[in-house]
Structure formats: C-alpha cells, structure tokens
Amino acid sequence: MIAELGQFVLILALIVAFLQFVLPMAGSLSEQHAWQYLARPTAWLQFVLVAISYGCLLTGFLRDDFSITYVADHSNHLLPLPYKFAAVWGGHEGSLMLWVLFLSIWTSLVAYFSKSLPIEIISRVLSVLGFISTGFLLFILFTSNPFLRSLPAPLDGHDLNPLLQDPGLVIHPPMLYMGYVGMSVSFAFAIAALITGRLDSAWSRWSRPWTVIAWSFLTLGIGLGSWWAYYELGWGGWWFWDPVENASLMPWLVSTALIHSLMVTEKRGGFKAWTVLLAIAAFSLSLLGTFLVRSGVLTSVHAFASDPTRGIFVLCFLAIVVGSSLMLFAWRAPKVTLGGSMGLLSKETFLLLNSVILAVSTGAVLLGTLYPLVIDALNLGKLSVGPPYFNLVFAPLMVPLLFILIPGTVAKWRSASVKEIMMELKWIAILSLALGAGLPFLIGEWSFGVFLGWTLGLWVGLGTLQHIVQRALRPGRIGGSFWGMQLAHLGLAVLVLGVTGVKSFEVEKDVKMSIGDEVTISPYVFKLTDIVETKGPNYKAYQAQIDVLKSGQKIEQLKPEKRRYASSAMAMTEAAISTNLWRDLYVSLGDSLPGSAQQWSMRVYYKPFVPWLWVGVLMMVLGGVLAAFDRRYRRLRTSNPVQTAAQMASSFGDQGESLQGTSYGQVVPELNGLNPVLETKQFQ
Amino acid sequence: MKKFLIPLLLFAVLVLFLGAGLRRDPHEIPSPLINKVAPNFSLQTLNGSTPFSPQQFKGKVWMLNVWATWCVSCRQEHPVLVAFSKQIGVPIVGLSYKEIQPQDDPEKKLDLASQLKLARERGSVWLEKHGNPYTLSVMDLDGRVGIDYGVYGVPETYIIDKEGIIRFKQIGPVTPQTLSETMIPIIRSLENS
Amino acid sequence: MISSLLVLSAGAPSVYAKEAEPMANDVQVEARLVHIAEELRCLVCQNESLSSSHADLAEDLRAQVREQIVSGKSDQEIKDYLVERYGDFVLYRPVVKPMTWLLWFGPFAGLLIALLGLGISIKRRNEKIQEKSAVLAAHSTHSTHSDNDPDSDQQTMQSQDFREPGLGEPTHLEPDSKSELDPQPSLKQPISTAHSKA
C-alpha cells in the first residue's frame, strides 16, 4: 500500500507543480493578476506532497519491504539502520526523489523568505522553479519510478553496495544535491529578471545570498566526496577527474564566478548580461551533470545504471530548459543597460578577470570530459582524456586566478592605481616568495611545483590576513559579508598549500608483512602486531593490528580491515588512518599471500598536509555561510520594502566600510539623482 | 547584438553531440588491428600434439574466436557458431583464453604442464557438451596472445583474410543478425578477392 | 646480515624486528611501472587507471609492462606497444595530433581570446558611457530624473533597464522611473499609476 500511496501522492505533486509553473506566470503576464498569488501556496503544497511521497519510499526501506523492486535492489534486512536511510538515494530512482524533495524545499524557502519581493517577481521565480519540478517529476513517473513492485517479493534484498555502506554516503549526496538544486534558485531569479525586464541591483542583491548558500552546499558536497573517496577506496587518492566528479566541479567553478560577478552588478550595475549568463550556466551545468551521470554516455565509476530512454528524456529536458533560457537571454540581454564606467584597472576588472578565468577553466573541464564523446560521435575513433590532461591544463589556469585574488581584494572600485596596489602588497609578495622558495629547501625536497604552489598559497593566505588586520584597525562595524569572504579566501589558501604539500611530499610503501615486521617511513615506524578475525552486522573481516611508533614511542594503534560482506563476493578494504593537523598516516590491508610464511600485503602511506585539504574546504563552506547570512540580506525579509531598501542602502558601503561621518550621497552615489523625497526626507 | 546568440548556438552544438553520444557505447574499444597483419603466435592445441601458428592458414579465409568455459556470454553465441561452422566452409580457430583462472589455483601450485592438462580437459568436456565449431582450438593460458590481439573481453571474434590480415573484429557474442548482415558478406568478399 | 642477526638473537625476540620487504621484487622497476601505469587506462574498468585496478586484464597488462621495463624498453615504446593493440583509448594522456589540437590548445587559446575580449569590452563600454554622458550634458539638466539616463556615472543603479515601455508585456513601470529602491508602490497597485511617495 505504501508504494501505491507514494506513487499516487507523487502524481498529485506533479499536478501541483504544473499549476505552480503555469498559473503564477500566466497571472503575471496577463490580466489575471490574482493567479500570481497562487505561487506560494502551490509551492508549499508541492513540498508537502513530495515529502509524503518521499516518506513512503523511506518507509519501504525502513520496513524492509522487498516487494518494492527499488528497495530490494538497494537494501537488505541486515543493513544497519542509518544505511537504510541513506540507501534511499543509493540508486538512480531514489536519488531523483531526493532531487525533487530538495527542490521543493528550496522552493518553499524562497517562497517563505521573499515577503518583501514584489509579487510579479516572486510569481515568476516560483513559476520557473515549478517548471523544473514538473520536468523532474515527469522524469520520475515516466522513466524512473521507485515505487514499482516485483511480485513475488524476494526474501531478502541485494543489499546496498558495500562501498556505499559508510558514513560518507549518508551525507555526501544530500549535501551535493542541496548545492545542485540550489543553483536553480539563482537561475529562477535570472529568468524572472529577464522576463520582467528588471536586471537591476535589486535582482543581484536578492540572488546573491541564495547563490552563496547553494555554493556553500556544493563546496561541502564536493569536499565530502573527495574525503570519502580518500578514506574509503583504500589507496589515498582524492580526485580523479572522473566525469561525474567533473560534473560537480563545473557548476562549482561557474557559481564561484557568479558570486563574484554579482558583486560587480550589485555595486556598480556592470556586466549584468554576463552575470545573468553565468546564472543560467551554473544551473545548466547542474542539469548537464544529471544527464552525464544517468545516460550512459560516459564511463564512470560513479555512473548510475544507464538507460537510453532516461538519457533521451534528460537531454530533451536539458534542451528545453537551457535552450529557452538562452533564447530569452539572446532576446533580452542586448537591451540591458551598461551601468557605471570602470577603469581598465579597477576592482571590477579584477572581479571580471576572475569570471573569465573560471569560465575558461570550466570550458576546459567540459572540453576534456566531452572530447571522447565528440570524437566518437564524429566517427574519428575512441580516445581517453584522463588525469594527465586535466592536471596539465587546469593547474596552470589556476595560477593567474590565485595571483589576482589579492590585488583584486585590495583594488578600489571604479579605478585603481598600479602603484598603490604594488606598494600595499610589496611585503606580502616578498614574504610569500621567500617562504615559498625556502620552506621546500628546509624540508629537503625542492621542485618548481612546490615553490609555485606554496608561493601562491602563501600569497593568498598572507594577503588575506593583511587585509583583515588592516580592516580591523579601521573603525566601523564589519559585516558577515566581509568575514565570510576573508574566511573563504583563507580556506582556499589552506587548500592550495595542502594540495601542493601532499602531492610533493607523500610517501608510499607497498610491502609484504608477517607478524612482527615493521615498515619505516621516517620518523614513523609501523609494526604489525597481530591479525585477527572480526565481524560486523553484515560482514566478516580480517583485521590487522598495527602499532605506530614515533621516535620509539607508540603513539597510536591502527586497525585496517579486509571485509567480506554477506551479500556480495566483493572483498572490501577499510583503511585505517591516523590524523593530526599536519599529516595523515594511512594503512591499507591487502590480501594474504600464498606461501608458508603467514604474509599479508600492506600499503603504508605518509601523507603530509592532507588534513589541510579538508580544513580548507570547511573554511570555504563556513565563509560562504557567514557571507550569506550577513545582516544586509536578513533585513531584506522585513515586510516594509521601502524601509528595507533604505536600510540596505545605508549599510551598503564597501563590504562593511564605515559610513559614519560621510554623506550618503558621497558613499552611495547610486542615490544621487533618484527620488529626492527619499534622499532628503528620510536620510538627512 | 549577434554575440548574444553565441551561447545558444554553442549549446545547440553541445546538445547535438550529446544526442549522438546516446547512440554510442563508451565501453566498446574498436580494434586498431583492422587491416593489419594478424600477430603471430605458436600455441599448443586442445587435442593435437603440434602447436599451431596463423601462418598455417595462409591462403584461406578464417575466423579466430576467443572463448572460455567460464564465459557466460560464450554459451549464448556457441550454438550460433556451431550452426555456422556446419554451413560455411570457413575454418574457425578457437582461442581458449585464460581457461585457468586465479580462483582455480589460489596457492599458485599448478605448473604450466598441469595447467595445460587441466585446461585441455575442461575445454574438451565443455565442447563435447555444447558442440564443437572449431577446426582446432589453441590454448592461450596466460592471455599473452590475447593481449597481442587486443582482446579485452570474452567472446570476441576475428575474420582474417588469405594474406593473414585481420579484416573484422566482433566484440561480444556473434548473433545470427551480425553473421548474416556483416560477417558473411565480408567473408564472401574476402574469398572472392 | 639481518637474518643472521635474527638467528643469533633468537633468544631475544624484541631486539631486531624485521623491516618488511617490498611487495615488488624490484622496487625501481615497480616505481617505473606505477609511473607508466598511472597514465594508462584499465580497459575493462569503469574509468580506473591501470596502476590501481584489480581487474584480471589489468594484472596481465601490468605483468606485460613489467617485463618490458625489465627488458629495457622506454616509456614511449611501452605505450606504443599498448596503443598498437588497444588503440589511443588506452592512453589517459591524449596524443598531441591534429585531432587533439583543440583539446590541448583550446583552453589556452580560449583564455587569450577571453582576456582580449574582456579588455575590448571594457574599453567599448566606457566609450559608450562617455558618449552618453556627453549627450546628456548637452541636454537640459532641469529635472534630474525626467531624462532618466541610467548610464551616467552618477546613476549607476537604475531600475529601468528596458527603456522602451510596452515590450509586449505589461510591466507597469513608468518611463520616468521611480527610484529602484521604491518599486513596491507602483507594482502593488498595478492598475493605478498615481500614488504618493514615501
């Protein structure tokens, strides 16, 4: 019954989503203005219905209802409870349910936190979101229905892939999907703005916090995916340039560009068309990712089981959504006004350089990911594009990006002077170069790669710290926006330093060990003291017990395992990791070796600076959250829009600079020449 | 103002390629050996005592079929091959590929001679049970010859012409459709040249 | 020597623990193998490198590569050997040839073109803005917002981005704009146009 209920409610949700799409938009474009007010209620109703349907599927898992095919394929009665929750999104159909659930959540949040938006805008925004929901719900109901039954029901399920039975699975996909789906919000705002004909700073101010939150989720999702691969796959890798990984990286790069471009639009009204295009691109890449992962067009370890029907559906949906938005763009964007002038050297141009480099990087990743497909489609043969290509092409593109970050932070709006910037950054430059060149020498392994990576990481890190100190020494309140930005930049610096460090200095030893043997990676010694048999709720394992010694003292015991799950023939390795702020010690147990001596193959890694990768990512995520919840944006939720706008204008300034003692006309030139009533009566 | 149409145009091109990609199989690896000389080898056969080399079949059009008793898809294509072998007079040479798998010998105790013996036994039994389309079958125990031929899965089938040049490779089971639509016409044209 | 020490110290087992032997018979060869295999594709996997895959064919191919390293072949020769048999598909680093020029040089060419484009775009846009403000200065300056020029330096944030009313849709925005910071009154009563400010 639960499956049939779930399916029925999902159909209702589809109807509501369709109404959410059609009615408010029609209302805003015609005489039926009242229909616009249906936007919020339909959004909330859709959420309730989708949530119920999702709940039905979840119940199927929790109750071990193996008559539901999807449940039987991805669960098992021995599967521990948390993984039964996570198994819902372990396969294609369920992951789509997660997608629509999150979309309905985002839509409801937008509906709720938009009280001060004019109804014309919100009706169109919610309508666009409704269109996307409709598409996905159709996709689920017609090609990927999770509620299908198979009778007679199997006695037990096939189990969730043991690789996925891990805390990482519980959190990585949801975070990632929150990011992907969140991009639809800035997309919806952009489309609504194009339709309405209002591509002003209000639009960018509304868009930005939503974009930043979605970006934060995406950053977290990608970081978690990397971290999970690192500790789960058993050999310490964390990024493979796999098509599905690339599919998540591309929206991330574009949304980073979007956030920075929104700043220019917000502050000086410039480059609006480009910003809108970025907003369209970010979500389009999310959709493209959905296509790539499920259509079977590319080979990937992550890909869901592919089905040409599904591929065609997603491609059509992608074509409709992106095609119509780009048509709308081509039609409306030429009429957009230009905004303020900007010097060839100014903060604006630095921010736009950021956009350009990120856009080109995205293009490079897209090119590399799709090139095999293009060559094959042209009947020119088959080739592979793998990590060697991406590393060679992507890393050099990041160099200028990291370099301009600091001058860009320091440069003034409208026009900046090279001399001033150079004066300001002189010491940071010298210090970064000196440390970047010197530290590797001290460690004993100098290479150009380490020098370049560390210099750039230090440049960004020290430059940001200097900027923070300078700002803190000036009077005035500093907003969350400022802290968020600095924290995110610092996180980036930490990430760059970490990546460079681990790639340059990691050590791997692949050995055969008997009990009593040791492996030395100075100053650590790993000693195998025992191998025992152990078991878990749905597996049996061999566990190696390894003492880790540093300078003769035992500091930790590591217990890597080789597991055999009841449900599959697959043997899985569970690596054991010792972490501190500076390095990871990573041990992976292999197979027992044939022969009379009881020997086991073992891989021991010394990975310095790896924790900095995760710390850096977390800093970036936190930075995004801080920035998104800046008071400026929270005030937008008050019900008096005029007051809100005035408050916003008054606190606007340059990312939290003090406005005390200045006339509003000077600091916020945008107000000049506008409604004199506002200017004179309310502010002076 | 035309520049605003560029994103749309680029996207259209992208969609076209993605659509074309839907009809392709990204896992299939076309052989670079087509129209090249079939790599030489000298392998023991299933039943005989003298080894076989491809040169022995110069002047004939023949087929090389990669199979193994542990291969499930081979069972699918086998009846097709058996029927085919009775109709057309094209010799089919079987390549018994890695008959002895790691799980058969976890302690790595079997030496080459024992492996060959076991493989021959298993192969013979299997062919008796399922039919024998092969003029002869060679034993590629370590898969080296397979690598030389670019074998990456089982079953695979090659058509080799009178000069010993590979003219066609079938990846995956041979179906009646593939036979009648592709392979037989190729064989005919090779025989007539 | 260590083994003899072990024999000698048989009565004191904790004195010399044995340093584990590497899995590989020859560490140098193995290091080269990993280096080469990382750039090769495992042909039967879902996108894994030859060095990390556990698949049967991967083991066989690694064995082949090892043999070739030992027999003194260069990295390029080994890669050529595999490409002969499996095609370009086996290389994770695509060969630089006309078919892949776009792939290898596209991103950098793209960057240069984009940078040029950005520069030209900024220059042009500044010129346009100068033009417009010059034109504006020539007109009467009596009412600052009846002319509604959104491009002047001083009015960088205008609500009205689409100057022509009647673009085929009732946007209900007046040609002479209200401030963009005060949009709600005009939109809340879409039918009436008269309303008081503040």
Side-chain angles (χ1 to χ4, degrees):
Chain A
M1 265 313 291
I2 201 86
E4 284 69 28
L5 177 67
Q7 185 166 326
F8 177 64
V9 173
L10 202 63
I11 295 175
L12 289 179
L14 170 65
I15 297 172
V16 173
F18 184 70
L19 293 174
Q20 179 190 327
F21 156 53
V22 170
L23 296 178
M25 183 66 79
S28 77
L29 294 174
S30 72
E31 301 301 311
Q32 304 284 356
H33 303 301
W35 286 357
Q36 291 174 106
Y37 292 90
L38 287 171
R40 290 197 179 94
T42 44
W44 288 324
L45 182 58
Q46 196 217 141
F47 163 62
V48 168
L49 293 170
V50 171
I52 293 176
S53 183
Y54 185 88
C56 290
L57 185 61
L58 177 60
T59 310
F61 272 90
L62 295 177
R63 280 201 207 153
D64 281 340
D65 186 347
F66 299 124
S67 67
I68 303 176
T69 317
Y70 183 72
V71 176
D73 284 342
H74 295 97
S75 182
N76 183 283
H77 76 273
L78 285 173
L79 189 64
L81 190 66
Y83 298 135
K84 283 189 181 160
F85 271 94
V88 177
W89 54 76
H92 165 76
E93 296 88 338
S95 74
L96 285 176
M97 286 295 288
L98 191 69
W99 231 98
V100 291
L101 178 66
F102 281 173
L103 185 56
S104 65
I105 291 176
W106 277 97
T107 308
S108 301
L109 288 171
V110 170
Y112 183 74
F113 287 111
S114 60
K115 295 280 165 51
S116 46
L117 264 182
I119 188 63
E120 276 196 3
I121 309 276
I122 193 63
S123 63
R124 287 167 182 171
V125 169
L126 292 176
S127 165
V128 172
L129 290 171
F131 178 68
I132 301 170
S133 286
T134 308
F136 271 89
L137 286 166
L138 278 170
F139 185 40
I140 295 177
L141 285 165
F142 279 92
T143 73
S144 321
N145 191 339
F147 295 111
L148 298 173
R149 298 258 195 200
S150 53
L151 298 163
L155 286 171
D156 205 349
H158 292 145
D159 203 10
L160 186 61
N161 183 334
L163 258 180
L164 304 177
Q165 289 185 34
D166 184 272
L169 174 71
V170 182
I171 192 161
H172 156 63
M175 293 299 102
L176 200 60
Y177 281 28
M178 281 295 277
Y180 279 142
V181 178
M183 293 302 153
S184 64
V185 177
S186 63
F187 172 77
F189 272 105
I191 298 297
L194 281 174
I195 294 176
T196 311
R198 293 185 55 132
L199 272 174
D200 54 16
S201 63
W203 160 68
S204 48
R205 256 180 254 137
W206 284 110
S207 265
R208 197 156 140 212
W210 294 101
T211 313
V212 174
I213 299 178
W215 176 89
S216 301
F217 273 113
L218 195 55
T219 312
L220 184 60
I222 296 175
L224 282 169
S226 263
W227 178 60
W228 178 25
Y230 168 74
Y231 76 74
E232 180 63 18
L233 295 180
W235 50 284
W238 39 269
W239 190 260
F240 312 100
W241 295 108
D242 179 81
V244 173
E245 290 175 327
N246 296 347
S248 67
L249 183 64
M250 291 188 284
W252 186 86
L253 293 168
V254 171
S255 56
T256 308
L258 176 61
I259 291 172
H260 291 84
S261 192
L262 276 169
M263 275 185 225
V264 179
T265 307
E266 203 174 321
K267 179 78 184 172
R268 310 228 45 247
F271 281 81
K272 294 172 200 164
W274 174 245
T275 307
V276 165
L277 189 60
L278 284 176
I280 294 176
F283 182 60
S284 307
L285 287 166
S286 279
L287 281 184
L288 179 67
T290 311
F291 171 77
L292 290 176
V293 178
R294 295 158 204 278
S295 61
V297 143
L298 295 171
T299 321
S300 161
V301 281
H302 289 86
F304 290 106
S306 66
D307 181 349
T309 331
R310 292 171 177 171
I312 296 173
F313 192 107
V314 180
L315 187 60
C316 288
F317 185 57
L318 181 69
I320 293 172
V321 171
V322 181
S324 47
S325 23
L326 289 177
M327 275 194 269
L328 186 64
F329 174 78
W331 176 33
R332 300 293 248 180
K335 307 193 178 95
V336 163
T337 53
L338 295 170
S341 74
M342 50 184 76
L344 206 53
L345 191 68
S346 59
K347 201 198 263 298
E348 292 95 310
T349 35
F350 274 111
L351 286 173
L352 290 165
L353 266 174
N354 155 301
S355 256
V356 163
I357 299 176
L358 284 169
V360 172
S361 315
T362 308
V365 174
L366 186 64
L367 187 64
T369 308
L370 292 181
Y371 213 73
L373 189 154
V374 169
I375 296 291
D376 193 13
L378 293 173
N379 273 322
L380 292 172
K382 277 219 157 60
L383 51 73
S384 296
V385 179
Y389 169 81
F390 290 105
N391 289 329
L392 267 174
V393 169
F394 191 78
L397 286 172
M398 291 296 106
V399 170
L401 187 72
L402 291 166
F403 175 66
I404 64 166
L405 197 157
I406 295 302
T409 314
V410 162
K412 293 211 173 70
W413 289 100
R414 225 191 285 240
S415 134
S417 110
V418 183
K419 244 195 177 163
E420 260 180 48
I421 296 178
M422 285 200 338
M423 286 293 298
E424 179 128 10
L425 299 173
K426 193 171 48 171
W427 292 113
I428 298 296
I430 295 175
L431 199 54
S432 313
L433 279 165
L435 286 173
L439 287 172
F441 259 125
L442 286 173
I443 298 187
E445 273 182 61
W446 204 95
S447 77
F448 182 69
V450 192
F451 164 62
L452 186 62
W454 275 4
T455 304
L456 285 170
L458 286 161
W459 168 247
V460 174
L462 295 172
T464 307
L465 286 170
Q466 178 182 282
H467 189 72
I468 294 177
V469 167
Q470 286 179 339
R471 176 69 189 85
L473 291 175
R474 285 210 302 264
R477 197 185 74 82
I478 308 176
S481 185
F482 177 81
W483 288 119
M485 176 166 78
Q486 307 313 322
L487 187 57
H489 289 167
L490 276 175
L492 181 63
V494 169
L495 179 70
V496 170
L497 291 170
V499 169
T500 310
V502 71
K503 285 203 131 142
S504 314
F505 300 120
E506 61 181 339
V507 179
E508 173 187 335
K509 285 208 171 168
D510 199 359
V511 294
K512 29 194 170 189
M513 293 184 93
S514 309
I515 296 184
D517 283 355
E518 291 178 352
V519 176
T520 308
I521 302 182
S522 166
Y524 299 98
V525 172
F526 301 81
K527 181 168 177 164
L528 179 62
T529 56
D530 204 358
I531 303 243
V532 298
E533 286 189 40
T534 176
K535 67 177 183 202
N538 52 350
Y539 65 84
K540 285 198 207 153
Y542 283 109
Q543 185 189 83
Q545 296 183 338
I546 297 184
D547 284 348
V548 181
L549 300 104
K550 185 174 180 186
S551 316
Q553 296 274 48
K554 172 170 165 183
I555 55 170
E556 201 166 335
Q557 189 186 51
L558 292 173
K559 300 190 186 177
E561 290 181 2
K562 192 106 185 148
R563 294 183 183 172
R564 220 168 211 105
Y565 279 81
S567 56
S568 99
M570 258 202 276
M572 283 246 348
T573 180
E574 270 303 301
I577 308 180
S578 154
T579 294
N580 72 22
L581 206 56
W582 291 95
R583 80 336 181 235
D584 268 5
L585 302 171
Y586 189 111
V587 184
S588 194
L589 177 62
D591 294 309
S592 77
L593 301 169
S596 47
Q598 267 282 336
Q599 277 188 328
W600 290 75
S601 78
M602 199 84 68
R603 270 209 179 137
V604 180
Y605 300 82
Y606 167 69
K607 288 187 174 284
F609 298 106
V610 147
W612 291 31
L613 268 70
W614 324 126
V615 170
V617 167
L618 281 173
M619 286 168 76
M620 289 199 280
V621 174
L622 239 68
V625 172
L626 275 174
F629 284 99
D630 183 292
R631 256 193 261 171
R632 276 191 287 159
Y633 301 117
R634 282 185 280 144
R635 284 203 206 122
L636 286 175
R637 288 190 241 120
T638 65
S639 48
N640 183 342
V642 175
Q643 202 179 50
T644 309
Q647 282 169 340
M648 267 183 352
S650 72
S651 70
F652 206 94
D654 180 12
Q655 310 296 29
E657 275 175 7
S658 164
L659 294 174
Q660 288 172 357
T662 61
S663 112
Y664 286 112
Q666 273 180 309
V667 176
V668 193
E670 300 84 340
L671 282 179
N672 288 344
L674 296 180
N675 190 336
V677 174
L678 268 178
E679 189 182 345
T680 53
K681 280 193 185 155
Q682 286 176 281
F683 297 145
Q684 255 144 7
Chain B
M1 296 303 110
K2 296 278 176 60
K3 63 176 174 171
F4 289 97
L5 279 170
I6 296 178
L8 182 63
L9 289 169
L10 288 174
F11 178 66
V13 171
L14 176 69
V15 170
L16 280 169
F17 276 117
L18 292 177
L22 278 176
R23 292 197 217 128
R24 305 278 166 162
D25 180 0
H27 300 272
E28 200 177 79
I29 309 174
S31 176
L33 293 170
I34 308 274
N35 299 328
K36 301 235 169 70
V37 178
N40 196 20
F41 60 81
S42 173
L43 287 178
Q44 293 291 337
T45 62
L46 186 70
N47 297 317
S49 49
T50 51
F52 170 83
S53 303
Q55 287 137 337
Q56 289 170 23
F57 274 10
K58 262 229 170 97
K60 294 193 230 192
V61 177
W62 57 287
M63 284 166 60
L64 181 69
N65 172 261
V66 182
W67 68 285
T69 65
W70 46 260
C71 156
V72 178
S73 316
C74 300
R75 263 171 247 192
Q76 244 182 0
E77 80 165 356
H78 211 73
V80 179
L81 281 180
V82 171
F84 178 65
S85 67
K86 295 190 182 132
Q87 299 164 348
I88 318 261
V90 170
I92 309 179
V93 174
L95 183 87
S96 163
Y97 180 76
K98 298 200 74 185
E99 180 56 47
I100 309 297
Q101 291 278 289
Q103 52 264 30
D104 296 325
D105 182 22
E107 298 293 306
K108 305 241 170 61
K109 288 212 182 91
L110 294 174
D111 67 340
L112 268 174
S114 327
Q115 282 185 33
L116 185 58
K117 184 157 170 278
L118 180 58
R120 276 172 161 160
E121 274 167 20
R122 283 225 280 235
S124 306
V125 167
W126 197 89
L127 288 175
E128 267 214 44
K129 182 169 169 194
H130 294 97
N132 190 352
Y134 305 126
T135 315
L136 60 102
S137 216
V138 292
M139 313 302 290
D140 184 12
L141 287 171
D142 57 7
R144 285 301 165 83
V145 173
I147 290 180
D148 276 342
Y149 274 77
V151 169
Y152 66 94
V154 193
E156 290 178 2
T157 311
Y158 299 81
I159 299 179
I160 299 163
D161 74 5
K162 296 178 181 169
E163 270 93 56
I165 297 184
I166 299 177
R167 293 295 180 188
F168 176 78
K169 176 177 178 182
Q170 167 70 7
I171 297 168
V174 170
T175 61
Q177 200 186 17
T178 329
L179 261 185
S180 57
E181 287 179 9
T182 321
M183 294 172 79
I184 294 180
I186 293 181
I187 294 174
R188 291 253 183 270
S189 73
L190 289 177
E191 286 196 315
N192 293 334
S193 65
Chain C
M1 185 192 124
I2 294 196
S3 44
S4 52
L5 277 167
L6 275 175
V7 169
L8 287 174
S9 63
S14 57
V15 174
Y16 273 116
K18 199 177 87 179
E19 180 77 10
E21 282 167 22
M23 276 293 286
N25 292 326
D26 185 335
V27 186
Q28 303 270 47
V29 167
E30 211 62 16
R32 245 187 98 197
L33 171 66
V34 170
H35 178 74
I36 297 174
E38 265 171 2
E39 298 217 345
L40 296 171
R41 188 179 198 131
C42 159
L43 297 157
V44 292
C45 311
Q46 298 276 72
N47 203 27
E48 264 183 83
S49 79
L50 188 63
S51 77
S52 65
S53 165
H54 293 297
D56 259 1
L57 182 61
E59 305 262 11
D60 290 348
L61 286 172
R62 280 197 294 265
Q64 250 316 23
V65 174
R66 211 177 273 122
E67 261 181 41
Q68 301 228 334
I69 295 177
V70 166
S71 71
K73 295 264 160 56
S74 73
D75 285 7
Q76 190 54 50
E77 285 174 314
I78 296 175
K79 288 189 187 164
D80 288 343
Y81 171 87
L82 285 170
V83 170
E84 243 175 60
R85 286 152 180 76
Y86 292 102
D88 282 341
F89 189 66
V90 74
L91 297 172
Y92 262 146
R93 182 198 294 245
V95 176
V96 184
K97 54 185 182 191
M99 189 159 79
T100 59
W101 281 348
L102 177 62
L103 179 68
W104 281 107
F105 304 121
F108 299 111
L111 183 64
L112 289 171
I113 295 173
L115 288 173
L116 260 161
L118 181 64
I120 294 176
S121 177
I122 293 181
K123 279 225 165 98
R124 267 209 212 131
R125 136 186 224 290
N126 287 345
E127 278 162 23
K128 259 200 213 160
I129 292 172
Q130 300 289 45
E131 262 173 43
K132 295 217 169 128
S133 58
V135 166
L136 197 66
H139 284 306
S140 132
T141 53
H142 173 66
S143 159
T144 48
H145 63 260
S146 66
D147 219 324
N148 181 41
D149 187 286
D151 295 338
S152 88
D153 239 6
Q154 302 219 297
Q155 298 170 11
T156 50
M157 310 275 236
Q158 281 293 323
S159 62
Q160 202 149 341
D161 292 293
F162 299 82
R163 308 257 217 86
E164 306 86 56
L167 278 167
E169 47 149 282
T171 58
H172 310 298
L173 293 171
E174 319 290 31
D176 55 297
S177 79
K178 310 283 180 285
S179 125
E180 53 114 22
L181 298 170
D182 178 21
Q184 276 63 34
S186 61
L187 290 172
K188 263 186 192 150
Q189 299 116 47
I191 300 159
S192 86
T193 55
H195 57 89
S196 56
K197 297 170 194 169

